[in-house]
Amino acid sequence: MVVLAASICTKAGKPVISRQFREMTRARIESLLASFPKLIPAGSQHTSIETPEVRYVYQPLEDLYILLITNKASNILQDIDTLHLFARVVSDMCRSAEEREILKNAFELLGAFDEIVSLGYREQINLMQVRNVLEMESHEEKIQDIIARNKEAEAKEELKRRAKQLEMQRREQQRRAAAGGAGSGSGFGGIGSGSMGPYSPVPRFEAPSPQPVRTSSPAQSTLRTPAFKGSGMKLGSKKAKTAELLDALGGEAVLPPDDLSAPATPAVPSTPEPVFAKSARGSLPAVTLEGVHVVVREQISVQLLREGGLKSMELKGDMNLQVSDPLYAKVKLALAPLNSEFGSDLQFKQHPNVAKFGLSGDRVVALKDPSRAFPVNQSLAVLKWRYSGKDESYVPLSINCWPTPSNDGTCEVNIEYELENDKLALHDAVISIPLPTGSYPTVASHTGEWSLNASTHSLDWSIPLISAEADTTSGTLEFTVGGDDAATFFPVRVAFVAQGSVVGMAVGTVTRVDTGEDAVFSQEVTLSADEYLVV
């Protein structure tokens, strides 16, 4: 096969970038690209066009075309395989297939094109090898960096060892000097005892226990004052050497006790930056609070099987009542009709002061003693419920992850989500797919946004809103990554916060017990994923 040129052009035939592998003039390549869109037959599904002189092998790339211009004698199957590799390289190096993004990465793309085709002939290379060549990592350079870091660490350890050794010698000399001074002082006292009064022993100097003090900067070493002055024993030369070694350590050594004779500037503790925790509500719409406010929270734990089906499902929920207006302290809550499919599998538990549900089937939350009132300005959990089972029809969001290993050491992964409960609106959904160690994906198509999570080495697929109203009940993501073990891509983790309830829990009406009048109330019904996995 002979590839004359590899190009990316617009739908009108305007070249974005082009690499000629055989000698061709600019006018010639522009003429071939300008005539290319006119040759595409309407409604055709073929990806190649032949003219009397050349053959075009092309592939749509969103609003652009990526194409190879070859001679007519080349192998069409090899040309198509080469074109697919070109397209994967473009998707790997560019965040989107837009003209501006292509031009931004033109230099890297042309370098990658040269690695794939040389003088018109295809090189035996795959996407992983192209990526490694472009990264230009040097094993020898890494070894030299490690050696340099080790030498630096050894030098610092040697400095610390020598500083400690000199400090011990200096302290020993101080103790000897103090012992010699005490002995000479007692001799003078004995000689002059007849005229100078009774003998008084010279008090012994006890050095305080060393306390670790971290210097704020090497400049503080200039503030150290010698502990002894005069024409006696001179320790200044050794002290200066010790100070130089301490300064060379960057102020991280422990200062001796006599160096504390100069007043040290107290370190001002820096005020830590406040850490704001991310709200558990995410991007859920705000709720205007009324005198009676009801909060319904559900948590769901699901384990879906990769082959299909449900391994386990557990749903927990609670209802909290908060009365901020004392006028509505005596109320009762009539619940809206629940999802009848759960039946007796749904278990309820009331607060000890709240009456049980009646036999008539009406679910009312009210105090056992009608004369009592709910606490004001205090959130009270009045009702809890739980469901545990293996009925797949209750799953709010289904995930289908399909890895397909190929013969070139890579794996093509297709993952799809679908909203099964149209009454729910899922916000801030994130689907995390684990990746093989040391491999990075090439995303071919996706709904929403995607990013790489360095801490878990996974691909995080983010969908801001999944709902029937927004027409985002389903979406797909397709990517290719090095590795041929399909089990590496599991378990898939899903996180979201939703507006609504799986069991349909909500308050229908709120009525005052004393007057029977309806009370204005507000409610917030949310669902969050505690542990949502595909195993």
Side-chain angles (χ1 to χ4, degrees), residues 99-142:
E99 182 176 351
R100 180 175 59 183
E101 186 72 15
I102 298 294
L103 292 174
K104 180 180 177 181
N105 299 277
F107 183 80
E108 291 79 5
L109 288 173
L110 293 177
F113 288 1
D114 286 339
E115 297 296 331
I116 300 174
V117 176
S118 177
L119 298 176
Y121 294 95
R122 163 74 183 273
E123 298 287 346
Q124 296 299 323
I125 194 171
N126 56 31
L127 179 61
M128 296 293 295
Q129 294 172 331
V130 171
R131 186 185 292 129
N132 292 336
V133 170
L134 294 179
E135 287 176 355
M136 294 185 292
E137 291 187 355
S138 173
H139 181 65
E140 290 77 8
E141 181 182 1
K142 291 182 178 179

Tab-separated table of all heavy atoms in Angstrom, residues 99-142:
chain	number	residue	atom	x	y	z
A	99	GLU	N	-12.566	22.014	14.865
A	99	GLU	CA	-11.471	22.565	14.069
A	99	GLU	C	-10.474	23.317	14.947
A	99	GLU	O	-9.255	23.192	14.773
A	99	GLU	CB	-12.039	23.505	12.991
A	99	GLU	CG	-10.994	24.091	12.075
A	99	GLU	CD	-11.603	24.927	10.959
A	99	GLU	OE1	-12.844	24.897	10.816
A	99	GLU	OE2	-10.840	25.601	10.248
A	100	ARG	N	-10.975	24.067	15.930
A	100	ARG	CA	-10.082	24.815	16.808
A	100	ARG	C	-9.204	23.879	17.637
A	100	ARG	O	-8.010	24.128	17.818
A	100	ARG	CB	-10.920	25.703	17.730
A	100	ARG	CG	-10.109	26.549	18.693
A	100	ARG	CD	-11.007	27.477	19.472
A	100	ARG	NE	-11.999	26.728	20.232
A	100	ARG	CZ	-12.963	27.292	20.970
A	100	ARG	NH1	-13.045	28.601	21.029
A	100	ARG	NH2	-13.825	26.538	21.623
A	101	GLU	N	-9.767	22.770	18.115
A	101	GLU	CA	-8.995	21.817	18.910
A	101	GLU	C	-7.963	21.096	18.048
A	101	GLU	O	-6.845	20.823	18.491
A	101	GLU	CB	-9.944	20.815	19.569
A	101	GLU	CG	-9.287	19.861	20.535
A	101	GLU	CD	-8.859	20.532	21.822
A	101	GLU	OE1	-9.318	21.672	22.091
A	101	GLU	OE2	-8.038	19.928	22.548
A	102	ILE	N	-8.324	20.804	16.792
A	102	ILE	CA	-7.388	20.151	15.875
A	102	ILE	C	-6.198	21.063	15.606
A	102	ILE	O	-5.035	20.645	15.639
A	102	ILE	CB	-8.092	19.771	14.565
A	102	ILE	CG1	-9.235	18.762	14.836
A	102	ILE	CG2	-7.098	19.192	13.571
A	102	ILE	CD1	-8.790	17.426	15.326
A	103	LEU	N	-6.471	22.342	15.339
A	103	LEU	CA	-5.380	23.286	15.071
A	103	LEU	C	-4.508	23.489	16.304
A	103	LEU	O	-3.295	23.696	16.195
A	103	LEU	CB	-5.959	24.626	14.606
A	103	LEU	CG	-6.643	24.616	13.223
A	103	LEU	CD1	-7.300	25.958	12.958
A	103	LEU	CD2	-5.640	24.285	12.139
A	104	LYS	N	-5.112	23.444	17.481
A	104	LYS	CA	-4.351	23.627	18.719
A	104	LYS	C	-3.331	22.505	18.906
A	104	LYS	O	-2.230	22.730	19.426
A	104	LYS	CB	-5.321	23.678	19.899
A	104	LYS	CG	-4.651	23.871	21.237
A	104	LYS	CD	-5.686	23.901	22.347
A	104	LYS	CE	-5.022	24.024	23.714
A	104	LYS	NZ	-6.031	24.023	24.809
A	105	ASN	N	-3.667	21.295	18.487
A	105	ASN	CA	-2.783	20.145	18.648
A	105	ASN	C	-2.193	19.691	17.317
A	105	ASN	O	-1.851	18.511	17.157
A	105	ASN	CB	-3.542	18.981	19.296
A	105	ASN	CG	-4.068	19.308	20.669
A	105	ASN	OD1	-3.354	19.216	21.663
A	105	ASN	ND2	-5.331	19.706	20.739
A	106	ALA	N	-2.064	20.623	16.366
A	106	ALA	CA	-1.609	20.251	15.022
A	106	ALA	C	-0.202	19.667	15.051
A	106	ALA	O	0.089	18.662	14.372
A	106	ALA	CB	-1.677	21.475	14.104
A	107	PHE	N	0.710	20.273	15.804
A	107	PHE	CA	2.099	19.799	15.814
A	107	PHE	C	2.179	18.363	16.336
A	107	PHE	O	2.869	17.505	15.748
A	107	PHE	CB	2.942	20.737	16.682
A	107	PHE	CG	4.396	20.375	16.703
A	107	PHE	CD1	5.235	20.732	15.663
A	107	PHE	CD2	4.920	19.660	17.771
A	107	PHE	CE1	6.581	20.388	15.693
A	107	PHE	CE2	6.260	19.321	17.806
A	107	PHE	CZ	7.092	19.683	16.755
A	108	GLU	N	1.495	18.076	17.440
A	108	GLU	CA	1.521	16.724	17.995
A	108	GLU	C	0.859	15.717	17.053
A	108	GLU	O	1.318	14.581	16.918
A	108	GLU	CB	0.840	16.700	19.364
A	108	GLU	CG	1.595	17.428	20.464
A	108	GLU	CD	1.412	18.927	20.404
A	108	GLU	OE1	0.605	19.386	19.557
A	108	GLU	OE2	2.065	19.638	21.189
A	109	LEU	N	-0.235	16.144	16.407
A	109	LEU	CA	-0.922	15.231	15.483
A	109	LEU	C	-0.040	14.882	14.292
A	109	LEU	O	0.026	13.713	13.874
A	109	LEU	CB	-2.229	15.872	15.000
A	109	LEU	CG	-3.367	15.955	16.032
A	109	LEU	CD1	-4.527	16.762	15.478
A	109	LEU	CD2	-3.845	14.561	16.416
A	110	LEU	N	0.637	15.872	13.731
A	110	LEU	CA	1.503	15.589	12.584
A	110	LEU	C	2.665	14.683	12.983
A	110	LEU	O	3.082	13.810	12.212
A	110	LEU	CB	2.029	16.908	12.005
A	110	LEU	CG	0.970	17.816	11.358
A	110	LEU	CD1	1.590	19.108	10.891
A	110	LEU	CD2	0.295	17.106	10.200
A	111	GLY	N	3.187	14.876	14.197
A	111	GLY	CA	4.230	13.967	14.675
A	111	GLY	C	3.719	12.540	14.816
A	111	GLY	O	4.425	11.584	14.494
A	112	ALA	N	2.478	12.396	15.303
A	112	ALA	CA	1.891	11.058	15.424
A	112	ALA	C	1.636	10.446	14.050
A	112	ALA	O	1.831	9.235	13.849
A	112	ALA	CB	0.590	11.139	16.217
A	113	PHE	N	1.203	11.274	13.068
A	113	PHE	CA	0.995	10.765	11.707
A	113	PHE	C	2.293	10.194	11.141
A	113	PHE	O	2.293	9.151	10.467
A	113	PHE	CB	0.484	11.881	10.804
A	113	PHE	CG	-0.953	12.279	11.079
A	113	PHE	CD1	-1.679	11.668	12.082
A	113	PHE	CD2	-1.578	13.264	10.327
A	113	PHE	CE1	-2.992	12.027	12.344
A	113	PHE	CE2	-2.886	13.630	10.574
A	113	PHE	CZ	-3.595	13.016	11.585
A	114	ASP	N	3.429	10.869	11.414
A	114	ASP	CA	4.711	10.386	10.904
A	114	ASP	C	5.120	9.063	11.556
A	114	ASP	O	5.861	8.284	10.949
A	114	ASP	CB	5.801	11.434	11.168
A	114	ASP	CG	5.672	12.626	10.228
A	114	ASP	OD1	5.034	12.467	9.170
A	114	ASP	OD2	6.197	13.715	10.551
A	115	GLU	N	4.666	8.825	12.794
A	115	GLU	CA	4.983	7.555	13.437
A	115	GLU	C	4.179	6.409	12.833
A	115	GLU	O	4.634	5.264	12.841
A	115	GLU	CB	4.708	7.640	14.944
A	115	GLU	CG	5.562	8.649	15.691
A	115	GLU	CD	7.031	8.305	15.654
A	115	GLU	OE1	7.348	7.107	15.559
A	115	GLU	OE2	7.854	9.241	15.716
A	116	ILE	N	2.987	6.711	12.311
A	116	ILE	CA	2.127	5.654	11.761
A	116	ILE	C	2.534	5.291	10.334
A	116	ILE	O	2.593	4.115	9.966
A	116	ILE	CB	0.656	6.105	11.821
A	116	ILE	CG1	0.237	6.372	13.273
A	116	ILE	CG2	-0.257	5.063	11.188
A	116	ILE	CD1	-1.142	6.953	13.411
A	117	VAL	N	2.820	6.301	9.514
A	117	VAL	CA	3.156	6.084	8.096
A	117	VAL	C	4.497	6.738	7.822
A	117	VAL	O	4.730	7.890	8.199
A	117	VAL	CB	2.068	6.673	7.169
A	117	VAL	CG1	2.474	6.520	5.713
A	117	VAL	CG2	0.733	5.983	7.423
A	118	SER	N	5.372	6.001	7.170
A	118	SER	CA	6.693	6.512	6.792
A	118	SER	C	6.901	6.288	5.308
A	118	SER	O	6.821	5.144	4.820
A	118	SER	CB	7.783	5.813	7.602
A	118	SER	OG	9.061	6.235	7.210
A	119	LEU	N	7.113	7.394	4.579
A	119	LEU	CA	7.337	7.345	3.128
A	119	LEU	C	6.207	6.620	2.404
A	119	LEU	O	6.420	5.949	1.389
A	119	LEU	CB	8.675	6.677	2.816
A	119	LEU	CG	9.932	7.391	3.375
A	119	LEU	CD1	11.178	6.588	3.077
A	119	LEU	CD2	10.036	8.789	2.817
A	120	GLY	N	5.001	6.730	2.953
A	120	GLY	CA	3.833	6.152	2.305
A	120	GLY	C	3.497	4.748	2.745
A	120	GLY	O	2.485	4.195	2.309
A	121	TYR	N	4.298	4.136	3.610
A	121	TYR	CA	4.075	2.755	4.005
A	121	TYR	C	3.757	2.701	5.498
A	121	TYR	O	4.366	3.410	6.304
A	121	TYR	CB	5.304	1.885	3.706
A	121	TYR	CG	5.578	1.750	2.229
A	121	TYR	CD1	6.489	2.600	1.605
A	121	TYR	CD2	4.919	0.790	1.466
A	121	TYR	CE1	6.741	2.500	0.250
A	121	TYR	CE2	5.161	0.679	0.104
A	121	TYR	CZ	6.071	1.531	-0.511
A	121	TYR	OH	6.305	1.432	-1.835
A	122	ARG	N	2.813	1.844	5.855
A	122	ARG	CA	2.345	1.711	7.231
A	122	ARG	C	3.409	1.057	8.098
A	122	ARG	O	3.996	0.029	7.740
A	122	ARG	CB	1.038	0.893	7.255
A	122	ARG	CG	0.637	0.312	8.609
A	122	ARG	CD	0.101	1.367	9.540
A	122	ARG	NE	-0.202	0.804	10.857
A	122	ARG	CZ	-1.353	0.230	11.183
A	122	ARG	NH1	-2.321	0.147	10.280
A	122	ARG	NH2	-1.560	-0.244	12.402
A	123	GLU	N	3.690	1.662	9.262
A	123	GLU	CA	4.591	1.076	10.230
A	123	GLU	C	3.810	0.095	11.119
A	123	GLU	O	2.618	0.266	11.364
A	123	GLU	CB	5.224	2.165	11.105
A	123	GLU	CG	6.078	3.160	10.349
A	123	GLU	CD	7.402	2.575	9.906
A	123	GLU	OE1	7.757	1.488	10.416
A	123	GLU	OE2	8.067	3.174	9.051
A	124	GLN	N	4.529	-0.910	11.620
A	124	GLN	CA	3.907	-1.884	12.532
A	124	GLN	C	3.880	-1.284	13.936
A	124	GLN	O	4.778	-1.495	14.746
A	124	GLN	CB	4.682	-3.208	12.505
A	124	GLN	CG	4.670	-3.907	11.181
A	124	GLN	CD	3.259	-4.278	10.744
A	124	GLN	OE1	2.420	-4.661	11.564
A	124	GLN	NE2	2.987	-4.175	9.448
A	125	ILE	N	2.848	-0.530	14.211
A	125	ILE	CA	2.750	0.219	15.458
A	125	ILE	C	1.283	0.317	15.856
A	125	ILE	O	0.392	0.321	14.981
A	125	ILE	CB	3.377	1.630	15.294
A	125	ILE	CG1	3.596	2.295	16.651
A	125	ILE	CG2	2.542	2.499	14.370
A	125	ILE	CD1	4.402	3.569	16.564
A	126	ASN	N	1.032	0.359	17.157
A	126	ASN	CA	-0.334	0.514	17.654
A	126	ASN	C	-0.447	1.807	18.454
A	126	ASN	O	0.525	2.567	18.582
A	126	ASN	CB	-0.772	-0.696	18.507
A	126	ASN	CG	0.176	-0.961	19.660
A	126	ASN	OD1	0.786	-0.040	20.197
A	126	ASN	ND2	0.304	-2.234	20.049
A	127	LEU	N	-1.628	2.046	18.990
A	127	LEU	CA	-1.889	3.317	19.667
A	127	LEU	C	-1.008	3.478	20.908
A	127	LEU	O	-0.498	4.579	21.178
A	127	LEU	CB	-3.370	3.401	20.067
A	127	LEU	CG	-3.797	4.670	20.820
A	127	LEU	CD1	-3.567	5.905	19.972
A	127	LEU	CD2	-5.260	4.563	21.225
A	128	MET	N	-0.815	2.410	21.691
A	128	MET	CA	-0.006	2.508	22.893
A	128	MET	C	1.435	2.889	22.552
A	128	MET	O	2.057	3.717	23.228
A	128	MET	CB	-0.035	1.183	23.660
A	128	MET	CG	-1.394	0.798	24.191
A	128	MET	SD	-1.949	1.939	25.473
A	128	MET	CE	-0.727	1.611	26.732
A	129	GLN	N	1.979	2.315	21.474
A	129	GLN	CA	3.347	2.639	21.084
A	129	GLN	C	3.461	4.067	20.595
A	129	GLN	O	4.453	4.748	20.870
A	129	GLN	CB	3.812	1.651	20.007
A	129	GLN	CG	3.935	0.217	20.501
A	129	GLN	CD	4.203	-0.765	19.381
A	129	GLN	OE1	3.796	-0.552	18.237
A	129	GLN	NE2	4.877	-1.868	19.700
A	130	VAL	N	2.454	4.549	19.879
A	130	VAL	CA	2.470	5.951	19.425
A	130	VAL	C	2.459	6.878	20.632
A	130	VAL	O	3.204	7.875	20.685
A	130	VAL	CB	1.262	6.236	18.506
A	130	VAL	CG1	1.155	7.727	18.204
A	130	VAL	CG2	1.386	5.446	17.221
A	131	ARG	N	1.635	6.568	21.623
A	131	ARG	CA	1.565	7.411	22.817
A	131	ARG	C	2.908	7.417	23.561
A	131	ARG	O	3.377	8.471	24.015
A	131	ARG	CB	0.458	6.906	23.736
A	131	ARG	CG	0.207	7.787	24.944
A	131	ARG	CD	-0.803	7.182	25.887
A	131	ARG	NE	-2.129	7.150	25.297
A	131	ARG	CZ	-2.889	6.065	25.251
A	131	ARG	NH1	-2.443	4.921	25.741
A	131	ARG	NH2	-4.088	6.107	24.714
A	132	ASN	N	3.558	6.253	23.663
A	132	ASN	CA	4.846	6.190	24.350
A	132	ASN	C	5.927	6.976	23.610
A	132	ASN	O	6.768	7.633	24.226
A	132	ASN	CB	5.285	4.731	24.509
A	132	ASN	CG	4.403	3.963	25.471
A	132	ASN	OD1	3.760	4.553	26.332
A	132	ASN	ND2	4.338	2.649	25.317
A	133	VAL	N	5.900	6.915	22.278
A	133	VAL	CA	6.893	7.657	21.501
A	133	VAL	C	6.711	9.152	21.682
A	133	VAL	O	7.675	9.914	21.840
A	133	VAL	CB	6.799	7.270	20.011
A	133	VAL	CG1	7.646	8.206	19.159
A	133	VAL	CG2	7.256	5.840	19.814
A	134	LEU	N	5.462	9.615	21.685
A	134	LEU	CA	5.210	11.049	21.814
A	134	LEU	C	5.535	11.544	23.219
A	134	LEU	O	5.898	12.719	23.392
A	134	LEU	CB	3.748	11.357	21.475
A	134	LEU	CG	3.339	11.098	20.021
A	134	LEU	CD1	1.871	11.424	19.828
A	134	LEU	CD2	4.186	11.922	19.068
A	135	GLU	N	5.392	10.708	24.239
A	135	GLU	CA	5.738	11.136	25.593
A	135	GLU	C	7.238	11.313	25.775
A	135	GLU	O	7.685	12.087	26.614
A	135	GLU	CB	5.215	10.116	26.611
A	135	GLU	CG	3.706	10.159	26.775
A	135	GLU	CD	3.214	9.075	27.720
A	135	GLU	OE1	4.052	8.251	28.153
A	135	GLU	OE2	2.009	9.041	28.018
A	136	MET	N	8.042	10.607	24.958
A	136	MET	CA	9.510	10.739	24.961
A	136	MET	C	10.086	10.554	26.366
A	136	MET	O	10.911	11.336	26.830
A	136	MET	CB	9.929	12.095	24.384
A	136	MET	CG	9.605	12.256	22.909
A	136	MET	SD	10.225	13.787	22.226
A	136	MET	CE	9.207	14.956	23.066
A	137	GLU	N	9.621	9.536	27.075
A	137	GLU	CA	10.154	9.247	28.398
A	137	GLU	C	11.481	8.493	28.271
A	137	GLU	O	11.621	7.607	27.433
A	137	GLU	CB	9.161	8.419	29.215
A	137	GLU	CG	7.920	9.195	29.597
A	137	GLU	CD	7.052	8.408	30.542
A	137	GLU	OE1	7.392	7.243	30.803
A	137	GLU	OE2	6.023	8.958	31.003
A	138	SER	N	12.448	8.853	29.092
A	138	SER	CA	13.774	8.247	29.065
A	138	SER	C	14.003	7.488	30.363
A	138	SER	O	13.944	8.066	31.451
A	138	SER	CB	14.849	9.325	28.887
A	138	SER	OG	16.139	8.763	29.028
A	139	HIS	N	14.290	6.196	30.234
A	139	HIS	CA	14.565	5.386	31.417
A	139	HIS	C	15.869	5.827	32.073
A	139	HIS	O	15.982	5.878	33.307
A	139	HIS	CB	14.639	3.917	31.020
A	139	HIS	CG	14.886	2.991	32.171
A	139	HIS	ND1	13.970	2.826	33.196
A	139	HIS	CD2	15.950	2.187	32.471
A	139	HIS	CE1	14.459	1.968	34.071
A	139	HIS	NE2	15.658	1.560	33.658
A	140	GLU	N	16.874	6.159	31.257
A	140	GLU	CA	18.156	6.612	31.809
A	140	GLU	C	17.994	7.923	32.574
A	140	GLU	O	18.617	8.128	33.626
A	140	GLU	CB	19.182	6.788	30.688
A	140	GLU	CG	19.649	5.477	30.050
A	140	GLU	CD	18.629	4.905	29.088
A	140	GLU	OE1	17.639	5.619	28.817
A	140	GLU	OE2	18.817	3.767	28.618
A	141	GLU	N	17.137	8.824	32.056
A	141	GLU	CA	16.923	10.096	32.750
A	141	GLU	C	16.272	9.874	34.112
A	141	GLU	O	16.623	10.520	35.104
A	141	GLU	CB	16.054	11.017	31.892
A	141	GLU	CG	15.805	12.376	32.512
A	141	GLU	CD	14.899	13.240	31.666
A	141	GLU	OE1	14.458	12.764	30.595
A	141	GLU	OE2	14.636	14.379	32.072
A	142	LYS	N	15.323	8.947	34.183
A	142	LYS	CA	14.689	8.643	35.463
A	142	LYS	C	15.703	8.094	36.462
A	142	LYS	O	15.690	8.451	37.643
A	142	LYS	CB	13.552	7.635	35.259
A	142	LYS	CG	12.350	8.196	34.514
A	142	LYS	CD	11.262	7.148	34.402
A	142	LYS	CE	10.032	7.715	33.697
A	142	LYS	NZ	8.975	6.692	33.574
